[in-house]
Amino acid sequence: MMHFVYNKEHMKRYIELNTWKRKDHFSFFSQYEIPRFNMTFDLDVTKLYQWAKNENVSFYLALMHHVIQSLNQVENFQYRIDEKGVFLEPIRYVSFTDKRASDDLFKMVFCEVDDDCLTFINHAKKTSEKQGDIFLVLQAKRF
């Protein structure tokens, strides 16, 4: 059974590590400087591609939205770590690369995730356009 400790200030659901079934895994991987992993799999995105084409929107952003929505449905992809411990929180912000308008280089864009795909795509496009050719813009409120 998982036990949570609630931080009312931010409503984060902190996990009680001593009773967490993933405690040993956390202890092992938390020793790594950047504890990450990658996955590779085949995925048929034909219907999504057709939808994006019919809606005249970016397939790249539509795919990103669907992946985020899928990840947010799996608790194991919602674990976050801060100075107070491990807590559960869905993905609320995303970063992506976009081509700069002035040359052949890319930029990193950060934007908020929305449950609605078209709203997310429009917001991501506007955020990228507003950023212009600046490589990276970080806002403290996101992190």
Side-chain angles (χ1 to χ4, degrees), residues 3 7 12 14 19 26 28 36 40 44 48-49 58 99-100 109 112 123 127 137:
H3 293 63
N7 176 343
K12 292 180 181 177
Y14 282 91
T19 59
F26 175 76
F28 176 80
R36 298 177 188 220
T40 304
D44 183 359
L48 181 61
Y49 178 80
S58 165
K99 186 180 178 313
R100 295 181 355 173
V109 181
E112 193 168 359
H123 178 66
T127 302
V137 175

Side-chain angles (χ1 to χ4, degrees), residues 96-109 128 131-136:
F96 62 94
T97 58
D98 202 1
K99 186 180 178 313
R100 295 181 355 173
S102 65
D103 53 34
D104 63 347
L105 297 176
F106 70 93
K107 60 185 175 183
M108 297 291 300
V109 181
S128 181
Q131 183 172 323
D133 284 349
I134 299 170
F135 173 68
L136 179 64

